[in-house]
Amino acid sequence: MAIRTIVKHPDPILREKAAPVTKFNANLHKLLDDMAETMYDADGVGLAAPQVGILKRVIVMDCGDGLIEVVNPEIIAFEGEQFDYPEGCLSIPGLRGDVRRHKWVKLRGQDRHGQPFELEAEDLLARCAQHEIDHLNGVLFIDVAERVYPVKPDEEGE
Ligand code: NI
């Protein structure tokens, strides 16, 4: 595994739409392994492939209950609203934002071998999933935040 460089805003690659994964091969597995290592190294809770310069629909998340890898993720159902957590992004260090997100989402995606699965997420994990899927469409939290403000010195990370 290797820690990859995290692309920072305003790099234009963060504005590109990522392509679906069609090959579930060793390259994908290396990308997933590296993304997880990069996310943990940066103390983040989520990372999308465009943030390491790869325009593929791949995300990793860990909101405290273990690593979740989702290839070709999509939101197939959602409910409720949350607006009470300062959202950040490893590609936009130093800023936080108030972002209205669904409180609960159901995701459909594939694992690293191409096996389809569904995943229900709420609260922070639901927020993280929506944030990471936005990355796959070139959308950053500063685009959808109702307010953006500087991070307090003691809370860097996603
Ligand atoms: Ni982000």
Side-chain angles (χ1 to χ4, degrees), residues 6-10 14 47 51 89-93 135 140 158:
I6 296 176
V7 174
K8 300 288 185 353
H9 173 70
L14 294 172
L47 194 69
Q51 293 182 273
C89 180
L90 294 174
S91 292
I92 314 175
H135 271 299
L140 303 176
E158 177 116 357

Side-chain angles (χ1 to χ4, degrees), residues 41-62:
D41 177 69
D43 285 325
V45 297
L47 194 69
Q51 293 182 273
V52 293
I54 306 293
L55 287 170
K56 294 284 183 187
R57 303 190 81 79
V58 176
I59 65 173
V60 295
M61 305 180 285
D62 187 341

Side-chain angles (χ1 to χ4, degrees), residues 61-122:
M61 305 180 285
D62 187 341
C63 292
D65 292 315
L67 179 64
I68 299 172
E69 303 173 339
V70 194
V71 178
N72 298 326
E74 49 182 327
I75 293 169
I76 57 171
F78 57 84
E79 242 177 55
E81 187 180 85
Q82 53 173 317
F83 189 60
D84 54 2
Y85 184 87
E87 193 167 315
C89 180
L90 294 174
S91 292
I92 314 175
L95 289 183
R96 288 285 185 277
D98 294 335
V99 186
R100 219 170 278 281
R101 299 284 190 189
H102 306 305
K103 184 169 176 60
W104 173 92
V105 294
K106 185 192 271 191
L107 302 184
R108 179 189 291 147
Q110 289 163 278
D111 71 11
R112 60 168 56 206
H113 304 292
Q115 196 64 37
F117 68 95
E118 291 181 356
L119 171 72
E120 293 183 33
E122 61 183 348

Side-chain angles (χ1 to χ4, degrees), residues 10-50:
D11 191 309
I13 200 162
L14 294 172
R15 298 313 198 165
E16 300 281 322
K17 193 169 160 69
V21 171
T22 55
K23 294 192 179 104
F24 295 81
N25 56 16
N27 277 346
L28 175 68
H29 299 172
K30 171 100 172 85
L31 173 63
L32 282 161
D33 291 343
D34 289 356
M35 283 174 62
E37 189 172 10
T38 303
M39 173 182 74
Y40 288 125
D41 177 69
D43 285 325
V45 297
L47 194 69

